[in-house]
Amino acid sequence: MNTQVAIIGAGPAGLLLSHLLHLKGIASVVLESRTRADIESTIRAGVLEQGTMDVLNEAGVGARMRSEGALHHGIELAFGGQRHRIDLSDLTGRAITVYAQHEVIKDLVAARFAADGQILFEVNDVSVHDVDSESPSVRFTHGGEPQQLNADFVIGCDGFHGISRPSIPDQLRRDYQRIYPFGWFGILVESDPSSEELIYAQHARGFALVSTRSPKVQRLYFQCDPKDDVNNWSDDRIWSELHARLENSDGWKLKEGRIFQKNIIGMRSFVSTPMQHGRLFLAGDAAHIVPPTGAKGMNLAVADVRLLSMALEEFYKKGRPDSLAAYTETALKRVWRAEHFSWWMTSMFHKFDDASPFQQELQRAELEYVVSSRAAATALAENYVGLPFA
Ligand SMILES: Cc1cc2nc3c(=O)[nH]c(=O)nc-3n(C[C@H](O)[C@H](O)[C@H](O)COP(=O)(O)OP(=O)(O)OC[C@H]3O[C@@H](n4cnc5c(N)ncnc54)[C@H](O)[C@@H]3O)c2cc1C
């Protein structure tokens, strides 16, 4: 099998890249280890930056996002029993849209198939070969048969646990990592939204986040021990923990509902560089991870593939490899800014068991500064809605 660009992974990065390339007349094949039903139903991210919305709209896959997604003009920060609104639109002229990642995936899969795009689901034993030549290939099994996909380029969009990043020799790679001593306990709840906007809460018992995925499905999180077990948490215990962390003096109340999913996610910051080795390029979670506090993961994946699609267009249409060669440097500028913002949000809202009383007072002083200074609130807001693309 031959194509121009072989893409490993049908997450937001791989599917969007395939579609952007198609719009530029460049052929690709996407290889995905899971089933279509699986990728279309895994609930993960939900906050789309303005720039992400623009890319999806320009790619012609934004219709459902525009009609079913919820435009949010602000977020709330809760601490000391009070809520404070950060008016994103007033401070930056931009906004975010809450539209679940699996809905973005459904829109992209539909768009790829409507354009006769090739996505092979349930592939196994994927490996990349000859990426330091001009004829790289990907080997895999599909339907029990060994296959080889020959391409000009291989793009690893296979997430943090994929095979692409480890295909770059260890001695050529530098990984930066921070693992946080806490995780997030996430629940999905059948109920109306408790709040029109997301609430980020700092509390002596730990962080909590009130978020939403649709008018009838709410996504709530609270900081937990990453080694905890969801079976230790009855529904009653979860609600009582969330009520304790979200207590406030203005009468606002969290709405309860049927909990239909519980999970615990670890928190890490991670960057691997370079994001290119020969004709193998990495995009999205394959190259970097942020703790979800800044809502940046999916947005960074979109930013990476936007860059790659433009660089590949320049290569194919003008014969110029310069932008491809500059990919790591260009992409990492945005990545490190998002890494810093995500680390900062995480540090400001979470309980650190080893924090001294001095550090706790610094944390409180920082939160008070963010909600009382327009300059500080603007710094948070412009990072949250996403910096403009360079
Ligand atoms: C609980 C949670 C909440 C989050 N909240 C937010 C948020 O609010 N906002 C935000 O922007 N981000 C958020 N994120 C992060 C976001 O979900 C990820 O950053 C995003 O999915 C990255 O997209 P990706 O395409 O790079 O990787 P992935 O979505 O991980 O896609 C990789 C794909 O590759 C496939 N694959 C893996 N290995 C192979 C292989 N060997 N061969 C073939 N296929 C393979 C996988 O099955 C998968 O489909 C959250 C993440 C989690 C876990």
Side-chain angles (χ1 to χ4, degrees), residues 58-356:
E58 282 158 23
V61 292
R64 255 182 5 108
M65 172 187 73
R66 286 194 302 276
S67 66
E68 294 175 25
L71 198 62
H72 287 209
H73 294 283
I75 56 172
E76 293 193 357
L77 310 188
F79 58 93
Q82 292 194 319
R83 291 184 297 147
H84 307 262
R85 183 163 190 268
I86 301 287
D87 190 326
L88 301 172
S89 298
D90 173 47
L91 293 165
T92 67
R94 292 155 81 86
I96 52 154
T97 287
V98 176
Y99 184 61
Q101 177 169 325
H102 69 285
E103 301 295 347
V104 174
I105 296 274
K106 283 186 204 164
D107 297 340
L108 287 167
V109 171
R112 291 314 300 121
F113 284 141
D116 288 331
Q118 258 191 300
I119 308 171
L120 301 186
F121 291 103
E122 296 181 82
V123 301
N124 288 305
D125 310 318
V126 178
S127 58
V128 298
H129 300 270
D130 303 320
V131 291
D132 37 18
S133 77
E134 291 193 356
S135 320
S137 63
V138 184
R139 292 185 204 148
F140 56 99
T141 54
H142 190 231
E145 294 292 317
Q147 309 252 12
Q148 177 161 327
L149 176 61
N150 303 309
D152 301 328
F153 296 94
V154 177
I155 316 292
C157 299
D158 47 353
F160 185 69
H161 300 288
I163 55 92
S164 299
R165 186 179 67 255
S167 305
I168 301 180
D170 281 352
Q171 66 275 18
L172 299 181
R173 254 177 45 216
R174 178 155 186 202
D175 293 348
Y176 301 82
Q177 170 153 265
R178 172 162 194 175
I179 296 179
Y180 297 86
F182 39 74
W184 277 14
F185 197 113
I187 56 170
L188 284 169
V189 182
E190 237 173 51
S191 80
D192 297 338
S194 292
S195 161
E196 282 181 9
E197 294 175 340
L198 273 59
I199 304 175
Y200 287 77
Q202 186 260 7
H203 191 271
R205 298 179 69 88
F207 170 74
L209 172 60
V210 178
S211 171
T212 181
R213 286 296 174 266
S214 74
K216 292 286 164 209
V217 175
Q218 309 315 315
R219 185 68 159 145
L220 306 174
Y221 295 102
F222 59 93
Q223 176 182 351
C224 67
D225 179 340
K227 294 194 198 77
D228 208 340
D229 184 336
V230 291
N231 296 315
N232 293 333
W233 289 83
S234 66
D235 292 5
D236 283 350
R237 187 177 170 212
I238 290 172
W239 288 121
S240 115
E241 191 61 43
L242 280 167
H243 284 299
R245 294 187 191 193
L246 292 161
E247 66 184 1
N248 64 87
S249 50
D250 63 11
W252 174 84
K253 268 239 163 306
L254 179 67
K255 280 190 189 137
E256 294 188 15
R258 186 178 74 84
I259 299 176
F260 64 95
Q261 198 189 91
K262 303 176 187 177
N263 66 340
I264 292 177
I265 54 163
M267 308 263 290
R268 79 170 81 220
S269 299
F270 175 86
V271 178
S272 185
T273 179
M275 290 168 67
Q276 173 200 5
H277 171 54
R279 292 239 170 164
L280 169 67
F281 291 78
L282 304 179
D285 279 15
H288 41 72
I289 294 283
V290 282
T293 330
K296 289 282 163 263
M298 176 166 54
N299 294 300
L300 281 180
V302 168
D304 284 353
V305 299
R306 174 185 166 275
L307 265 185
L308 262 181
S309 69
M310 295 189 305
L312 285 164
E313 181 182 34
E314 250 184 59
F315 176 86
Y316 280 111
K317 302 237 168 102
K318 299 187 187 144
R320 287 180 46 189
D322 332 15
S323 297
L324 280 175
Y327 171 66
T328 292
E329 196 188 333
T330 317
L332 282 183
K333 279 197 183 124
R334 190 176 190 88
V335 168
W336 275 115
R337 176 86 296 280
E339 289 286 346
H340 177 268
F341 176 66
S342 305
W343 164 84
W344 178 63
M345 288 285 282
T346 303
S347 310
M348 193 161 54
F349 282 98
H350 287 76
K351 178 185 180 211
F352 288 78
D353 287 336
D354 60 353
S356 64

